[in-house]
Amino acid sequence: MEQTLNDQFAQWLETVPGRYVRAWEQAGIDAEVVNTFGYHAIQIGLPHWDLLAQSRISCKVCTAQSGVLPAQQQNLVYAEPEHLPFDTQSIDLLILPHTLESASDPHQVLREAERVLVPEGRILLTGFNPLSLWGAHDWIPGLERGTPTLPGDVMSPSRLRDWLKLLSFDVQSTQMGCYAPLCRQQAWLDRWSWIEQSGARWWSFAGAVYMISAVKRTPALRLVGPKWKKNRRRVRRPMVVAGRAANEGISKT
């Protein structure tokens, strides 16, 4: 069931609104990964979509669950996002494209991400924003669903930031995009192209999708040991007082 939904999501990315989302997320992720360095970079899910193309990290791997996969895909690992087959503190960069929305246990996915990331490792997450025109189907009856059907919970960026902070992540940035209404035809989507700049300026919270960049922080350890410095006793030295009479005697001789 999960693989069928993931395949449907991959097919949705080839539609007009799907390509609209892909273009925005690809540009944002490319700008982030090009300046991220390390030894290992992992993309969790969606192997049909290469989000590590601009990364300078030499070892790049993508995970998948099962099913029909692209023949040209290399360095592919079959794994569940809740149980990653990587060593603790071994990954420098993690990309989760809509992974939490398609996961059965989003909390466990984030815990696994925190486990495998090295200290100061970076994580990039993308997702649909429920507080947008595309997410209005959740609170307006009869409105056509704008996003593909996913088994997980579509969460707001503020909620996801809270989850990350609880896991000792330092949220670096939150970017919002895709302010145009849901359009099934490219011609109508082109007519709404003007709204991108206006939306980013006036109602930035209402973008259809978001991208969060965070860094794993490790609390500094403070060594507590015995107090080696001893209190020294003050030794009173004898005071030499040269009186007036003594000085006069010396001068007479």
Side-chain angles (χ1 to χ4, degrees), residues 157-195:
S158 60
R159 180 183 175 190
L160 181 54
R161 286 194 297 264
D162 291 339
W163 286 10
L164 291 170
K165 291 178 182 179
L166 290 175
L167 291 172
S168 300
F169 281 99
D170 182 15
V171 177
Q172 301 286 297
S173 64
T174 301
Q175 302 179 36
M176 310 292 293
C178 299
Y179 294 94
L182 179 66
C183 299
R184 304 292 184 183
Q185 298 180 3
Q186 186 64 42
W188 282 102
L189 189 60
D190 294 338
R191 294 180 182 180
W192 283 98
S193 60
W194 59 270
I195 203 173

Side-chain angles (χ1 to χ4, degrees), residues 19 38 99 116 219:
R19 290 194 297 268
T99 306
V116 301

Side-chain angles (χ1 to χ4, degrees), residues 191-210:
R191 294 180 182 180
W192 283 98
S193 60
W194 59 270
I195 203 173
E196 294 299 326
Q197 295 183 354
S198 300
R201 181 178 181 182
W202 298 108
W203 52 89
S204 58
F205 66 92
V209 291
Y210 61 83

Side-chain angles (χ1 to χ4, degrees), residues 32-116:
E32 290 284 343
V33 302
V34 71
N35 294 320
T36 302
F37 302 95
Y39 299 97
H40 301 93
I42 307 295
Q43 175 181 332
I44 307 299
L46 295 179
H48 305 78
W49 185 9
D50 186 8
L51 291 169
L52 292 171
Q54 299 300 320
S55 176
R56 302 180 185 181
I57 297 177
S58 58
C59 181
K60 296 182 283 189
V61 176
C62 183
T63 68
Q65 296 180 11
S66 61
V68 180
L69 299 174
Q72 70 275 14
Q73 180 67 41
Q74 298 179 355
N75 297 332
L76 190 64
V77 175
Y78 290 92
E80 299 288 337
E82 295 86 357
H83 305 284
L84 298 176
F86 307 117
D87 293 335
T88 300
Q89 297 187 0
S90 62
I91 308 301
D92 301 279
L93 172 63
L94 270 179
I95 299 181
L96 281 70
H98 301 271
T99 306
L100 300 182
E101 299 164 349
S102 59
S104 58
D105 190 351
H107 290 87
Q108 177 61 25
V109 174
L110 289 180
R111 284 191 291 266
E112 274 293 275
E114 190 275 337
R115 180 186 67 83
V116 301

Side-chain angles (χ1 to χ4, degrees), residues 3-25:
Q3 180 56 34
T4 302
L5 291 171
N6 289 333
D7 288 341
Q8 291 178 358
F9 182 66
Q11 295 174 2
W12 180 87
L13 290 174
E14 301 299 329
T15 63
V16 171
R19 290 194 297 268
Y20 176 45
V21 169
R22 285 186 62 175
W24 183 86
E25 293 188 11

